Structures are given as C-alpha cells and as structure tokens.
C-alpha cells in the first residue's frame, strides 16, 4: 500500500512539474523521458486480463498499435481508457490500428489492486485488450512520465508519437496524431479546440483552474450537492483568475460553487465580475449559457441560445441545451424529439445514452429527467463528478 501511495504522489508531482514547464510548447514534447520518435521499443510480452500473454508484435494491428498507459486511481486515466474504448477503437480499429490499455497500477500489483482493476474494467465496460505492466518494466524503459500517457508505435514497433495526460483538447489532438500517422486528411477541429489553441490561458492559469476543479470534485456529493464552500478549491480558482483575468472558466466554476453552497452574495459578486468581463467568444458564450442553466437562470440561458445558433450552427451542445431547457420546463415530447435527433447526429464529447434512451429520446422517470437536467450540463462543462 505504501509503494502504491508513493507511486501516486510521485506521478502527480511529475505531472505538475510538466504542466508548469510546458509553457506555450506542445504537450507532446514532454511525453516520454527516455525514448523519442523513431526509437524502437522492445517486443515486450504483456499479460492480458482474462487472456494469454501476448507480444507487442502480436498485439499490433495491420498498421500499428496505440498503447494507453493508465491506472484506476487517476480520473483522467479512466476518462481516457473509456474514450479509447468507445471512440478511438471504433474509428481506427478498422483502419489498422489496434488499441491496448496497459495498466501501471503500482510496482508490485497486489491481489487487492488486481481486484480493483478487474472491477473497474467491468464497471467501465471496456472491451479493448487490457494488459498489466508487471514491475513497471515498460513504464520505466519507454520512459512514461505521467498517467495517463498514450504512445503510438508502428508495425515495426517504432515510436510514431506520444501524448501525456488527457486535457480537454486531447480528444482532437490524439485523433490528429493518428490521422497524421495514417495519412488521413484532418477534419476541421472543434470550436473548443480552436479556442484553446488561439487563446491559450497565460501564466499556467489553466493548471490552477484544473487544480481548483479537481478539489471541487472532491467536495461535491454524488447527488451534486455542496454543504459548504470548498475554500481551497476557490483559492486555486482565484489564483487562476489572478494569473489570467481573461480566462473565463474559473469565473464560471466559482459561480456554480457558490450557487450549490447557497452563498448568494458571493454568487452575485462572481456574476457581476462575469458580466464586467463581457466574455463573447463562441465557446465562452456556450459555457456561459450552460452555467446560467445550472444556476437556474433559464431566461438568461435561453437568450444566449439565440446567439449561439448563429455563432455555432453545427455545434451539437447548442441544441442539447435547448432540449434540456424543454425538459426542465416539462415539455417532454419536444425534448425527446430533440434528444433523439442529437443522438442520431452524434458529435457530443460524452455518451448521452447514459441519461437518454437512444430509441425514444426520453429520460425515463421523473427522477431520470431530474438527473439529466442536473448532470448533463456538468458533462458539457467537464466539471462532472461522475
């Protein structure tokens, strides 16, 4: 257990150092500490969960192999392994890229840790092959710095790319890495990715926002409630604002925190600051509309939807918010038709079927509708505890 905790602390420490050091450089530059693009990895033998030991060569697809190094105790790892299983495997498996998760839980995996891994895999319903890096041999020799980390190798086991972490932009950037390797013409990046590329938060403001967000998630209950303001989370969000007053996300999360903790005066102060900043970029307006929805300011949220239809005509989260507004106003048939159309078109950054029946577009019982109204907006804003 001590070794397990030390591994967690060491990985977190390295991840923070990386984030601080990265500055304006690409995150891919610091993915591995020993090997680089063009280097060849060994033909490792990997014990596969519920299967036989396989070599890297056998695990490779026709074109190559994407290795996802993950752990059960890293929330970003769980998000990435789910994304790799649900989206990357489906899209790139038929293009000749096999995807394999490599668990790097700890130096010597105990029976208890193995049980946790198995239970996590079952809970996430992961179907891609999952291997165990016993004694962290691959982790050390390839030079993985933090979890999660994704490494792309060719059929000849040459490293073609590597990506540390799973930030918001990772969904697009991982696909870009795979597309470049396969020679596939790039699709137009999402509005959110273009925004982050054009308006990268200054002075590590994004790092401090993420620290504040993660602290907030520790305090909010599974029922999406706060009994008090998590002061340490708000402090990190204030640090983020101080580092870059033009970065909108910490303002929004502060307003949501004060709303859930029923601190009305502080919420009003934060909303006043938001109005004064006059955030007007399309993604900023989209997230503001969702924030107002969470705060119960439905008229304000509806007003912004009108603008968003012109600003982001192809963005699926805009009609999604319309459907949520209809559902919150008990317009079930209208909401169901909108939900169904959204799910048929696809493009959301999460699986809406977790809340909505794909066939009917319905949210089920009144309790299910309430859960959809509460949790879907937080999924869009990437602040959901679940």
């Amino acid at each position: 257990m001590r070794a397990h905790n030390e591994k967690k602390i060491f990985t977190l420490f390295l991840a923070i150092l990386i984030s601080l050091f990265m500055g304006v450089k690409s995150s891919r530059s610091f993915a591995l500490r020993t090997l680089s693009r063009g280097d060849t990895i060994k033909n490792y033998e990997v014990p596969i969960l519920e299967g036989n030991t396989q070599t890297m060569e056998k695990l490779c697809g026709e074109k190559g192999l994407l290795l996802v190094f993950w752990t059960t105790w890293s929330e970003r790892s769980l998000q990435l392994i789910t994304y790799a299983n649900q989206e990357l495997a489906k899209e790139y498996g038929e293009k000749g890229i096999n995807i394999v998760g490599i668990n790097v839980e700890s130096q010597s995996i105990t029976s208890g840790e193995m049980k946790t891994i198995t239970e996590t895999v079952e809970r996430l319903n992961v179907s891609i092959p999952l291997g165990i890096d016993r004694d962290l041999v691959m982790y050390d020799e390839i030079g993985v710095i933090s979890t999660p980390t994704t490494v792309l190798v060719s059929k000849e086991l040459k490293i073609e790319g590597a990506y540390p972490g799973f930030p918001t932009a990772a969904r697009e950037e991982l696909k870009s890495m795979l597309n470049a390797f396969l020679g596939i013409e790039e699709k137009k990046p999402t509005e959110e990715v273009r925004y982050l590329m054009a308006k990268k938060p200054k002075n590590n403001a994004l790092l401090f926002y993420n620290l504040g967000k993660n602290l907030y998630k520790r305090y909010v209950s599974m029922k999406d409630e706060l009994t008090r303001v998590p002061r340490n989370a708000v402090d990190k969000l204030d640090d983020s604002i101080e580092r870059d007053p033009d970065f909108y996300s910490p303002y929004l999360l502060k307003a949501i925190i004060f709303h859930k903790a029923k601190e009305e005066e502080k919420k009003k102060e934060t909303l006043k600051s938001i109005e004064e900043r006059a955030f007007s970029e399309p993604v900023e307006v989209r997230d503001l509309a969702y924030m107002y929805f969470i705060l119960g300011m439905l008229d304000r949220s509806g007003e912004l939807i009108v603008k968003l239809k012109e600003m982001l005509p192809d963005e699926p989260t805009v009609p999604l918010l319309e459907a949520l507004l209809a559902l919150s106003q008990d317009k079930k048939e209208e909401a169901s038709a909108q939900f169904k159309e959204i799910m048929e078109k696809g493009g959301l950054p999460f699986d809406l079927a977790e809340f909505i029946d794909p066939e009917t577009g319905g949210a089920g019982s009144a309790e299910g509708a309430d859960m959809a109204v509460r949790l879907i907006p937080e999924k869009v804003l990437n602040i959901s505890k679940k």
Side-chain angles (χ1 to χ4, degrees), residues 54-238:
Q54 299 284 339
T55 64
M56 287 285 111
E57 290 180 348
K58 288 184 177 179
L59 289 170
C60 267
E62 183 182 345
K63 298 290 181 64
L65 177 65
L66 190 70
L67 299 170
V68 180
F69 291 90
W70 70 290
T71 67
T72 63
W73 44 262
S74 162
E75 180 62 30
R76 289 292 187 183
S77 285
L78 302 184
Q79 293 172 8
L80 174 54
I81 205 71
T82 301
Y83 174 68
N85 179 70
Q86 293 180 350
E87 295 197 38
L88 294 183
K90 182 186 298 184
E91 184 171 349
Y92 293 96
E94 61 186 23
K95 295 179 173 67
I97 300 292
N98 283 353
I99 299 176
V100 177
I102 304 294
N103 184 275
V104 288
E105 199 76 3
S106 64
Q107 189 77 33
S108 299
I109 296 180
T110 64
S111 57
E113 288 170 335
M114 184 60 73
K115 181 181 179 183
T116 299
I117 294 169
T118 303
E119 290 175 347
T120 301
V121 171
E122 291 176 354
R123 175 170 59 85
L124 297 178
N125 195 25
V126 177
S127 57
I128 60 174
L130 295 174
I132 301 293
D133 184 11
R134 297 197 182 279
D135 300 320
L136 300 183
V137 173
M138 294 173 61
Y139 186 99
D140 292 332
E141 292 184 356
I142 293 175
V144 176
I145 296 176
S146 63
T147 50
T149 286
T150 314
V151 180
L152 173 63
V153 298
S154 67
K155 184 71 174 175
E156 295 74 31
L157 301 185
K158 286 187 178 180
I159 294 178
E160 298 290 340
Y163 195 98
F166 193 59
T168 301
R171 287 174 168 83
E172 296 293 335
E173 293 185 349
L174 284 170
K175 288 186 176 182
S176 293
M177 180 173 73
L178 288 161
N179 289 338
F181 171 63
L182 294 170
I184 298 173
E185 185 177 350
E186 277 285 275
K187 293 180 181 179
K188 184 180 179 182
T190 65
E191 191 69 32
E192 186 170 4
V193 170
R194 290 200 298 274
Y195 173 85
L196 288 172
M197 291 171 65
K199 298 191 68 171
K200 183 180 178 67
K202 303 178 184 69
N203 303 319
N204 291 308
L206 180 59
L207 170 64
F208 281 85
Y209 166 72
N210 284 329
L211 289 172
K213 179 175 69 174
N214 290 333
L215 287 168
Y216 153 75
K217 288 182 180 181
R218 292 183 186 179
Y219 286 90
V220 71
S221 72
M222 295 303 290
K223 292 184 177 181
D224 201 37
E225 298 171 345
L226 279 176
T227 57
R228 62 183 177 85
V229 173
R231 199 63 254 172
N232 52 356
V234 172
D235 287 344
K236 294 301 179 186
L237 297 175
D238 285 338

Side-chain angles (χ1 to χ4, degrees), residues 10-33 139 143-149 163-167 200 204 207:
F10 181 64
T11 301
L12 177 61
F13 174 70
L14 283 173
I16 293 172
L17 282 180
I18 294 163
S19 299
L20 290 168
F21 186 56
M22 276 167 58
V24 298
K25 293 184 179 180
S26 166
S27 58
R28 299 181 197 178
S29 302
F30 302 93
L32 305 174
R33 69 177 183 274
Y139 186 99
V144 176
I145 296 176
S146 63
T147 50
T149 286
Y163 195 98
F166 193 59
K200 183 180 178 67
N204 291 308
L207 170 64

Side-chain angles (χ1 to χ4, degrees), residues 277-342:
R277 300 307 305 180
F279 297 113
S280 58
E281 292 288 335
V283 170
E284 296 172 345
V285 176
R286 192 277 306 268
D287 286 4
L288 278 169
Y290 272 92
M291 178 204 72
Y292 285 123
F293 182 87
I294 292 172
L295 268 51
M297 302 171 67
L298 304 187
D299 289 343
R300 183 70 178 121
S301 182
E303 290 171 7
L304 292 181
I305 285 178
V306 177
K307 292 183 180 180
L308 286 167
K309 284 183 175 180
E310 296 181 2
M311 301 170 91
L312 298 170
D314 301 319
E315 171 57 46
T317 56
V318 176
L320 177 63
L321 183 53
E322 270 193 305
L324 288 168
L325 276 168
L327 186 61
S328 68
Q329 295 164 353
D330 207 30
K331 300 176 182 178
K332 294 181 180 179
E333 290 187 7
E334 179 182 334
S336 294
Q338 289 173 311
F339 281 132
K340 190 173 181 181
E341 183 177 353
I342 291 164

